[in-house]
Amino acid sequence: MSSSFSVVGVLIAFGVGSALLLTTGRRNYPELHTILDTGITLISGLVALLFWDMGARVQQPLYKRLAIAFGTAFVLEFLHVLVIVEWSGGLAFIMELREFLRPATWPPAAHILAIGILAAIWSSRRDRVGIPAFTLFMTMVAVLLVVIFQRLPPYSPPGLLGITRPVLILAPPLWLVTCILCWRLRRTDRIFRPLALMGAVVLLGHFAMLYSQAPHDTEAMVAHLGKISGRLVLLLAMMQMASSDMLERMRAEAELARLNEGLEQRVEERTTQLASTNLALESEILVRRHAEQKTQAQLARLSLLHQITRAIGERQDLKSIFQVVIRSLEDQLPVDFACLCFHDPVDHVMTVECVGLKSGALALELAMPERARIDIDENGLSRCMLGQLVYEPDIARSSFPFPMRLARGGLRAMVLAPLQVESRVFGALVAVRKDEGSFSSGECEFLRQLSEHVALAAHQAQLHGALQQAYEDLRQTQQAVMQQERLRALGQMASGIAHDINNALSPVSLYTQSLLEAEPNLSARTRDYLETIQRSVEDVAHTVTRMREFYRQREPQLTLRPVQLNELVRQVADLTRARWSDMPQLRGTVITLRNELAEPLPAVSCVESEIREALINLIFNAVDALPSGGTLTLRTRLLSGGGSQDQVRVEVGDDGVGMNEETRRRCLEPFFTTKGERGTGLGLAMVYGVARRHNADVEVDSAVGRGTIVSLNFPVPEAPSATPSQDRPETARPARLRLLLVDDDPLLLRSLCNTLETEGHVVVTANGGAAGIAAFHAASERGEAFAAVVTDLGMPNVDGRKVASAIKNASPATPVIMLTGWGKRLTSEDDIPAHVDYLLSKPPKLRELREALVRCCGPDGASGPMAAG
């Protein structure tokens, strides 16, 4: 292809302009810079569009890849133009990006086009890379170049060969390679010759840019002239190619016209002969045109159906699915009124679920907004609910309520398409137009197919919602099971240490009870201290038992008594005074106790020791949350249940550090603590277990910096019984007895021996099961009988079961009383060992010990195994 005069003119203009710029010396041309950059950008975008159009027309991937290359260059050049223009007003913010984008857009644009042309040639010849992948590649290269050139200095002092812009040193070689490659390929495609010519001109421009020292200086303008001249050369060449193609087409058309003239002459000669044939042909053409129009309309509807189906397939909620369907029908079918209705099988009515945006005003006029109810008549709606597609070409002639309602709004043609899944119709798609008979059979079929897709999508959305709900229910169930398993693990762990703790508490309990009963001359203060010790020992014993069992619901045999919570709160405040008053003062902080107790307050049924333990735990937690002092609030009040059961609320609050939402949510889990090594993570879990056993609710209200309030809500009994007297009838003391004590704990053995000897009994002790059996046999051989044998259960080598069995084998009439730290567990699980006449739990109470001796050794002693209540 020879160069046109216009291409030659551009090259001459480039040469003359460059010469004039260079002869005038180094100057700045900011306005010319803006004009040239804008022209470069516009021509790049135009060339990209031309290449893409050529590629689409001739199905040539090379042209599309070249279009992407020029398009990428256009984007970078456009960004460069944005930052060189002096913006003002609302677009002044673009000026703030100048420092970032100006040095990072022109250099990438200088390289990206050459890289894109080379990559397009390489990928087209191997046909390995698709258009999307090529687009992604060019985008990544552009971003990479922007990042690189943003970090490189745009200018530097004159260096090798006087170059002042070393960052552009690779641009001329790239364009040289591009020019050579395109020239070598000029015989394979006519586009390569203008590309080679453009590359040569751009090469000269980029060579001049190496010596630029400012954005607007002479060398930069020469480079810009080179870029715009090269693109003009390519543009003019492409226009020449287009004009050449057009000229060839015009020549072909002229030749065709000449041939047509000859043909017309012959046709005229044969007009009479072919008249009938022409009529037949015209008729066939009309039929084909009509078929073509129908085909095109069908294709358009299929495309719309595909578009709607794809759009609703990406959505999971019914509202958005319906909105997409209605909006597409209004815009692209189109219709004058559209809505989707759901069928209520109970009331046998239709409910408007979704109305189109353009149909909103008409829907209000027709009294058919969303959620409106429509009675199902015996004509169209009833047939639609049977699964039939209903088409009424003129509803103005109908006498049924629903078509008449639509007709009052100026609507004439109506289509009702059922929403059906399997054999169930759950709704209808309503499409109406103002023109009579305006729905074709193809459009009716389209609406029928669309309704099937909508019904399926709606059904899937409902299934998805149900699946989400099922997943949420499963997650909550899993959390509940995990909580229960944590509590179970805690109970099993606590069971293992209950025996040792109860053994350690037994001497304290026995000596305390003995002092309280046997020393009448104790001072009031001493007696108060001893009673507090005894109460604390009992609470610890209850806690140990409860640690194993607190994950279970309250056992039926657990004795509940009416308790006044106000009195219990005052008692707990006194018990914990050292923790919230004395110890903080030692650190130099002050915690103020505030009692807000409602009077009068009904009694609640509970185990007093367990509630006391729970309140103590809550007070300790509140004190830990006040490291710098503050206010500790104890509050009670009555909550009216209205029609349900009333509740008594006990609140323990502080104004300390508080908890975040994650901590508040997990604070009731066993072993969860925020106190590090100081915390066990069992305090609030114990409180939770106590609340569950008493059918109470636990509420935790906390926020960081605001403090925490923990509330226990106890149900008020509907008919509370009078508070029983705490003084039980005095158990009759047994007569002087000869007793054998068997235990492997020397301290417990000694304290129990001292207590029983104080009661007047003769006591023989044995340290361990084997020693106990030996002592019993030795006494039998001497003729010295024991009135009863008291033995522990857990002992090394020979445990309490073997001791009881040996005693009963030797003397069936001798009662065996088992005193063990696992007493409550054995009782609750109905696992009292064989040969045991009475079962007591550690730490023992003197009253229970006396009662056991009276029952086993008195004249009316029970013969079967029993457990202390």
Side-chain angles (χ1 to χ4, degrees):
M1 181 185 69
S2 59
S3 301
S4 65
F5 289 108
S6 56
V7 173
V8 175
V10 170
L11 295 178
I12 294 174
F14 167 62
V16 173
S18 301
L20 289 176
L21 288 172
L22 293 174
T23 56
T24 57
R26 186 180 299 276
R27 295 174 57 187
N28 287 326
Y29 302 91
E31 293 82 3
L32 181 59
H33 179 215
T34 303
I35 294 172
L36 292 177
D37 269 334
T38 304
I40 292 169
T41 303
L42 294 176
I43 295 174
S44 295
L46 181 59
V47 171
L49 292 175
L50 288 175
F51 268 125
W52 188 265
D53 184 66
M54 290 173 63
R57 290 178 181 274
V58 301
Q59 295 297 316
Q60 175 59 267
L62 172 64
Y63 289 169
K64 289 187 177 182
R65 291 183 174 90
L66 290 174
I68 294 170
F70 275 92
T72 308
F74 164 76
V75 172
L76 294 177
E77 291 164 351
F78 179 74
L79 293 177
H80 184 66
V81 169
L82 282 181
V83 297
I84 66 172
V85 176
E86 298 292 336
W87 299 99
S88 61
L91 299 176
F93 71 94
I94 300 178
M95 299 292 292
E96 300 177 2
L97 303 176
R98 172 173 294 184
E99 295 301 324
F100 173 80
L101 289 178
R102 186 159 189 166
T105 51
W106 204 94
H111 295 77
I112 193 67
L113 186 54
I115 294 174
I117 294 173
L118 294 174
I121 295 172
W122 179 86
S123 60
S124 297
R125 291 176 66 85
R126 286 160 177 77
D127 197 20
R128 295 180 179 177
V129 181
I131 299 301
F134 185 78
T135 304
L136 178 61
F137 166 75
M138 292 302 299
T139 303
M140 294 174 60
V141 172
V143 173
L144 180 62
L145 289 176
V146 169
V147 173
I148 292 174
F149 284 106
Q150 174 62 28
R151 298 179 178 273
L152 295 177
Y155 300 97
S156 65
L160 181 64
L161 301 178
I163 294 175
T164 58
R165 298 202 68 178
V167 295
L168 299 177
I169 195 68
L170 292 179
L174 277 174
W175 280 105
L176 179 61
V177 173
T178 303
C179 179
I180 294 173
L181 180 60
C182 290
W183 184 256
R184 294 182 61 183
L185 296 174
R186 67 187 183 279
R187 300 186 185 278
T188 60
D189 195 299
R190 57 181 178 172
I191 196 61
F192 285 118
R193 186 183 296 271
L195 282 175
L197 188 57
M198 181 200 74
V201 177
V202 174
L203 170 63
L204 295 176
H206 283 302
F207 183 77
M209 195 65 178
L210 294 177
Y211 299 92
S212 171
Q213 298 181 6
H216 318 299
D217 65 1
T218 301
E219 288 79 359
M221 294 304 99
V222 172
H224 283 66
L225 279 176
K227 289 184 68 174
I228 195 170
S229 299
R231 284 162 173 75
L232 283 173
V233 166
L234 178 62
L235 179 61
L236 292 173
M238 293 174 67
M239 293 174 63
Q240 183 179 359
M241 290 166 55
S243 64
S244 176
D245 292 343
M246 186 176 297
L247 181 60
E248 291 294 330
R249 181 175 179 180
M250 291 175 62
R251 290 175 180 173
E253 289 178 350
E255 180 65 20
L256 181 61
R258 186 181 63 81
L259 295 175
N260 285 338
E261 290 179 0
L263 181 61
E264 286 176 358
Q265 293 176 359
R266 281 182 286 173
V267 168
E268 288 177 359
E269 295 174 356
R270 301 175 60 185
T271 299
T272 305
Q273 300 177 1
L274 299 178
S276 59
T277 306
N278 287 341
L279 291 175
L281 290 174
E282 289 176 1
S283 176
E284 185 178 352
I285 289 172
L286 290 176
V287 171
R288 290 187 178 184
R289 285 180 180 177
H290 182 66
E292 182 179 356
Q293 291 175 355
K294 291 181 63 177
T295 303
Q296 290 178 350
Q298 183 67 17
L299 289 175
R301 289 191 292 270
L302 288 176
S303 176
L304 177 59
L305 180 63
H306 173 72
Q307 176 184 343
I308 296 175
T309 304
R310 183 174 181 180
I312 64 179
E314 298 172 352
R315 291 164 172 79
Q316 296 295 342
D317 59 299
L318 287 174
K319 189 68 175 178
S320 63
I321 290 173
F322 292 163
Q323 287 176 348
V324 167
V325 173
I326 297 300
R327 190 174 304 169
S328 300
L329 288 179
E330 289 179 334
D331 295 340
Q332 301 182 41
L333 191 57
V335 295
D336 297 311
F337 177 80
C339 69
L340 277 162
C341 303
F342 274 180
H343 177 224
D344 185 350
V346 178
D347 298 335
H348 197 55
V349 295
M350 299 288 288
T351 302
V352 179
E353 188 68 20
C354 182
V355 177
L357 184 62
K358 296 180 179 179
S359 306
L362 188 56
L364 294 177
E365 180 182 344
L366 298 174
M368 290 179 58
E370 292 185 2
R371 312 313 303 170
R373 295 166 69 87
I374 304 171
D375 294 331
I376 298 178
D377 53 43
E378 297 301 324
N379 186 20
L381 286 178
S382 61
R383 287 190 289 133
C384 183
M385 290 301 100
L386 295 176
Q388 301 177 17
L389 179 76
V390 178
Y391 173 43
E392 294 288 345
D394 187 6
I395 57 177
R397 302 175 185 175
S398 176
S399 60
F400 292 95
F402 182 62
M404 292 176 63
R405 176 189 294 189
L406 296 176
R408 286 196 295 269
L411 302 172
R412 300 295 295 272
M414 176 187 72
V415 176
L416 302 177
L419 301 180
Q420 183 174 357
V421 176
E422 296 177 352
S423 60
R424 182 176 67 90
V425 178
F426 65 89
L429 171 63
V430 181
V432 195
R433 285 176 176 165
K434 294 182 178 180
D435 297 330
E436 177 183 351
S438 52
F439 286 99
S440 66
S441 60
E443 289 174 330
C444 292
E445 177 63 20
F446 165 76
L447 290 173
R448 185 191 65 78
Q449 295 178 0
L450 177 61
S451 67
E452 293 178 357
H453 288 283
V454 173
L456 181 59
H459 183 62
Q460 290 176 343
Q462 292 171 344
L463 291 179
H464 180 266
L467 181 61
Q468 289 290 98
Q469 183 61 41
Y471 173 76
E472 180 64 21
D473 294 343
L474 177 61
R475 187 184 64 82
Q476 293 179 0
T477 302
Q478 289 175 338
Q479 289 181 348
V481 171
M482 290 174 62
Q483 176 78 348
Q484 191 71 8
E485 286 303 315
R486 292 191 187 102
L487 298 176
R488 187 183 304 277
L490 177 60
Q492 292 174 352
M493 181 193 70
S495 177
I497 61 174
H499 179 266
D500 294 337
I501 295 178
N502 287 329
N503 274 352
L505 290 176
S506 295
V508 180
S509 178
L510 288 171
Y511 284 139
T512 302
Q513 293 177 69
S514 180
L515 288 173
L516 287 173
E517 291 188 5
E519 300 293 338
N521 297 324
L522 293 174
S523 66
R525 182 177 183 182
T526 303
R527 183 169 293 278
D528 182 58
Y529 283 177
L530 289 173
E531 288 176 350
T532 300
I533 292 172
Q534 181 61 26
R535 188 162 51 242
S536 298
V537 168
E538 292 175 356
D539 287 350
V540 172
H542 280 293
T543 299
V544 170
T545 301
R546 199 163 59 250
M547 283 178 66
R548 181 180 61 85
E549 301 293 344
F550 81 103
Y551 66 91
R552 301 179 180 174
Q553 293 291 341
R554 187 180 70 242
E555 296 175 353
Q557 68 268 25
L558 188 63
T559 303
L560 302 181
R561 295 185 176 87
V563 174
Q564 290 292 337
L565 291 180
N566 282 346
E567 182 62 30
L568 186 59
V569 169
R570 295 187 186 97
Q571 185 183 103
V572 170
D574 290 338
L575 284 173
T576 59
R577 179 176 298 276
R579 185 67 182 274
W580 58 261
S581 178
D582 300 340
M583 294 175 64
Q585 291 178 12
L586 182 64
R587 301 192 305 267
T589 59
V590 176
I591 296 178
T592 304
L593 178 67
R594 179 186 300 167
N595 282 324
E596 299 178 3
L597 309 180
E599 296 284 358
L601 203 64
V604 298
S605 297
C606 62
V607 178
E608 182 177 352
S609 61
E610 292 194 4
I611 305 304
R612 184 187 303 115
E613 178 72 19
L615 293 177
I616 289 174
N617 271 321
L618 293 179
I619 290 177
F620 285 175
N621 282 345
V623 172
D624 290 337
L626 297 168
S628 302
T631 302
L632 172 64
T633 303
L634 303 179
R635 183 184 296 113
T636 60
R637 52 177 166 160
L638 178 63
L639 302 179
S640 176
S644 58
Q645 192 175 15
D646 293 344
Q647 291 182 321
V648 174
R649 169 172 287 190
V650 181
E651 297 179 358
V652 178
D654 63 78
D655 55 0
V657 296
M659 296 182 284
N660 57 31
E661 180 59 25
E662 173 68 15
T663 303
R664 188 199 67 78
R665 185 175 60 82
R666 298 189 58 196
C667 64
L668 298 180
E669 295 181 7
F671 310 115
F672 176 77
T673 179
T674 59
K675 302 177 184 178
E677 295 182 355
R678 297 186 299 108
T680 63
L682 301 180
L684 286 178
M686 292 288 292
V687 173
Y688 174 74
V690 169
R692 287 197 60 185
R693 286 196 301 279
H694 289 82
N695 294 325
D697 299 326
V698 181
E699 298 178 6
V700 181
D701 181 16
S702 183
V704 176
R706 183 170 61 85
T708 303
I709 298 177
V710 181
S711 305
L712 302 178
N713 300 328
F714 295 91
V716 177
E718 295 182 359
S721 59
T723 303
S725 173
Q726 298 297 326
D727 298 328
R728 297 180 56 174
E730 181 67 26
T731 304
R733 292 177 181 265
R736 179 183 176 88
L737 301 173
R738 178 179 174 82
L739 304 174
L740 174 62
L741 302 183
V742 183
D743 203 300
D744 63 332
D745 188 338
L747 185 60
L748 173 61
L749 201 59
R750 186 177 65 181
S751 61
L752 187 58
C753 177
N754 293 339
T755 302
L756 291 175
E757 286 179 346
T758 302
E759 295 278 311
H761 303 294
V762 177
V763 181
V764 177
T765 62
N767 190 358
I773 296 174
F776 185 84
H777 287 312
S780 297
E781 292 175 357
R782 295 193 302 268
E784 300 174 356
F786 291 105
V789 176
V790 181
T791 178
D792 189 12
L793 174 59
M795 295 179 291
N797 300 324
V798 180
D799 63 2
R801 291 184 176 84
K802 295 179 180 179
V803 171
S805 176
I807 298 299
K808 287 297 184 179
N809 289 335
S811 175
T814 302
V816 176
I817 300 173
M818 182 166 284
L819 177 62
T820 175
W822 293 312
K824 293 196 179 292
R825 172 184 172 182
L826 296 175
T827 302
S828 64
E829 296 177 358
D830 195 19
D831 190 24
I832 300 177
H835 309 300
V836 173
D837 297 284
Y838 206 91
L839 182 67
L840 290 174
S841 297
K842 292 180 182 178
K845 296 180 180 179
L846 282 177
R847 175 180 50 78
E848 294 177 352
L849 190 56
R850 291 168 185 156
E851 181 180 353
L853 292 175
V854 167
R855 289 191 178 186
C856 293
C857 303
D860 298 327
S863 59
M866 296 172 291

